[in-house]
Amino acid sequence: MDFNMKKLASDAGIFFTRAVQFTEEKFGQAEKTELDAHFENLLARADSTKNWTEKILRQTEVLLQPNPSARVEEFLYEKLDRKVPSRVTNGELLAQYMAEAASELGPTTPYGKTLIKVAEAEKRLGAAERDFIHTASINFLTPLRNFLEGDWKTISKERRLLQNRRLDLDACKARLKKAKAAEAKATTVPDFQETRPRNYILSASASALWNDEVDKSEQELRVAQTEFDRQAEVTRLLLEGISSTHVNHLRCLHEFVESQTTYYAQCYRHMLDLQKQLGRFPGTFVGTTEPASPPLSSTSPTTTAATMPVEPSVAGLAPPGEAALCLEEVAPPASGTRKARVLYDYEAADSSELALLADELITVYSLPGMDPDWLIGERGNKKGKVPVTYLELLS
């Protein structure tokens, strides 16, 4: 107990000395040991790295999870060392709603078919987003968070210790300065005619006491200087390690960009496939040897009918053995033509399609083997493929 009380009293004395030194420095009443310019630059760079790392980390978390409530929940799970539960992405939730809507509104209607196709695409987009969030969290967020919670805490601890060592050093310097001033005053020789003999003894005694105080202060100053230099070197090494941190963060940033590039490439590919399915970029019309019924002309016993559109090959050519069919040579069937009103404007993607204007009336019909999402439309002497979803069949 006695040892603990002595230690507590010693710690309290040190704390009081540091507080006095700090207060006097703030009011300009005490000298302060300045660090060299290189050390100050290292401190400024470390502070800047920490501040910008925090901002980048927070904003990246917002990018990956815009919902603040979900971010708070994930933070609590991490602090409790528990696994974060799997969360449905917005794309997957939208796909679920679209699929349910198609089931209720009619999966065989044009609207229902389109809902199902878009739902499948949104589900793939949601899965790609989930993979991107997982990859970015591991390769980018985790290293940034490890720096703030690991390396930076060590640097901050050593900087606080260096600050305490500097206060101790400056307090020793101030104490030595006061001791030397008191010693010089005590060693001043008094006038023999104006001073009693008793005062000579007191003056000599005071001079000896202040001489001992100066020796003690010089010894404390040497110890404080050694501890300050040692701590300054330790802190300097940690601050110079910020360069390695920058290299590590640069590598993580490259990985983040790579994962983001992969994510957006997957999204583009999924949406391009969806556009093709919806007919925005259809393939070429190709012919087949299957005979059409009824015949296209009275002079030809066998005819060539149009089949469903297929995606072009890499070379942009029709499959071997099949030739592209010219729509101008295709005659409408003797029966089965209907009138249709155009619901929306449609811009033809190529020469095989027919551009449409909203509210106009056209004649449409289908040919054997055609994609059910497409019809042949005629307006005057113009003819081409038209998407069913843009039409309202009248008769």
Side-chain angles (χ1 to χ4, degrees):
M1 179 62 70
D2 185 35
F3 173 78
N4 291 336
M5 290 300 297
K6 289 182 178 180
K7 185 176 184 302
L8 180 61
S10 176
D11 293 342
I14 294 175
F15 176 79
F16 179 75
T17 302
R18 292 172 179 172
V20 171
Q21 178 66 27
F22 182 80
T23 304
E24 291 179 349
E25 289 177 359
K26 289 300 181 180
F27 285 98
Q29 299 176 358
E31 296 181 0
K32 176 181 177 181
T33 301
E34 299 293 341
L35 301 172
D36 60 85
H38 177 64
F39 200 97
E40 293 288 351
N41 290 334
L42 291 177
L43 290 174
R45 187 177 67 157
D47 289 334
S48 180
T49 300
K50 179 256 185 182
N51 293 334
W52 284 112
T53 300
E54 284 182 337
K55 292 180 180 180
I56 293 173
L57 175 64
R58 287 197 298 266
Q59 193 57 38
T60 306
E61 290 175 344
V62 173
L63 173 67
L64 299 180
Q65 179 52 264
N67 188 345
S69 300
R71 293 199 303 272
V72 172
E73 181 181 351
E74 293 175 358
F75 174 78
L76 294 177
Y77 273 104
E78 291 177 358
K79 290 302 179 181
L80 296 174
D81 293 331
R82 297 178 59 184
K83 183 179 179 182
V84 179
S86 179
R87 190 184 304 276
V88 178
T89 62
N90 293 329
E92 292 172 329
L93 188 59
L94 177 59
Q96 177 183 343
Y97 290 164
M98 286 185 171
E100 293 175 357
S103 177
E104 184 173 342
L105 299 177
T108 59
T109 63
Y111 182 45
K113 292 180 180 178
T114 304
L115 278 175
I116 293 175
K117 292 180 180 179
V118 176
E120 294 174 352
E122 293 294 337
K123 185 176 181 180
R124 290 192 293 269
L125 291 176
E129 180 183 4
R130 183 192 302 276
D131 293 340
F132 167 61
I133 293 174
H134 178 72
T135 303
S137 298
I138 294 178
N139 296 337
F140 189 61
L141 291 184
T142 299
L144 298 185
R145 195 175 290 114
N146 289 341
F147 165 72
L148 294 175
E149 296 179 356
D151 295 346
W152 182 252
K153 285 187 176 181
T154 302
I155 292 175
S156 299
K157 178 182 177 181
E158 297 300 330
R159 286 178 65 177
R160 288 192 300 269
L161 190 56
L162 177 63
Q163 174 73 356
N164 292 336
R165 294 288 181 264
R166 186 196 63 76
L167 290 174
D168 293 341
L169 176 63
D170 290 337
C172 289
K173 289 180 179 180
R175 190 160 48 249
L176 177 61
K177 184 177 180 181
K178 292 178 182 179
K180 286 184 176 181
E183 181 189 26
K185 184 177 180 180
T187 56
T188 302
V189 179
D191 189 354
F192 285 93
Q193 298 177 355
E194 299 179 358
T195 308
R196 298 178 180 178
R198 179 173 176 270
N199 290 342
Y200 290 108
I201 300 175
L202 295 176
S203 177
S205 176
S207 178
L209 291 175
W210 283 115
N211 188 31
D212 292 342
E213 183 66 21
V214 169
D215 293 341
K216 179 181 178 183
S217 298
E218 288 178 344
Q219 176 64 25
E220 291 177 351
L221 178 60
R222 286 191 292 269
V223 173
Q225 185 69 54
T226 301
E227 293 180 351
F228 172 78
D229 292 340
R230 183 187 300 112
Q231 185 59 36
E233 184 62 24
V234 171
T235 308
R236 184 192 303 273
L237 293 176
L238 290 175
L239 293 175
E240 290 176 348
I242 292 293
S243 299
S244 301
T245 299
H246 288 180
V247 173
N248 183 40
H249 288 183
L250 175 61
R251 178 184 58 81
C252 297
L253 184 60
H254 278 285
E255 294 180 355
F256 174 72
V257 172
E258 184 67 24
S259 61
Q260 198 170 29
T261 302
T262 302
Y263 167 61
Y264 285 118
Q266 290 176 342
C267 293
Y268 174 75
R269 185 166 60 252
H270 294 328
M271 295 309 298
L272 192 62
D273 293 341
L274 177 62
Q275 275 190 326
K276 289 180 179 180
Q277 293 179 20
L278 297 181
R280 188 64 184 87
F281 297 106
T284 58
F285 242 26
V286 295
T288 181
T289 56
E290 179 183 355
S293 179
L296 295 178
S297 65
S298 58
T299 58
S300 176
T302 60
T303 58
T304 302
T307 63
M308 64 180 295
V310 297
E311 292 186 6
S313 63
V314 176
L317 302 176
E322 296 181 349
L325 178 65
C326 180
L327 288 176
E328 301 298 332
E329 299 176 358
V330 178
S335 62
T337 59
R338 305 178 64 178
K339 291 291 184 181
R341 184 174 67 87
V342 179
L343 300 176
Y344 320 103
D345 292 344
Y346 178 75
E347 182 180 354
D350 53 41
S351 59
S352 67
E353 297 181 6
L354 180 66
L356 303 175
L357 296 175
D359 296 328
E360 70 173 337
L361 295 177
I362 61 174
T363 301
V364 295
Y365 53 89
S366 178
L367 295 176
M370 280 190 64
D371 188 333
D373 293 336
W374 289 86
L375 293 173
I376 302 297
E378 290 187 358
R379 182 180 59 241
N381 58 353
K382 294 184 178 181
K383 181 186 305 184
K385 298 180 297 179
V386 293
V388 175
T389 53
Y390 282 71
L391 304 175
E392 178 185 2
L393 299 178
L394 301 178
S395 60

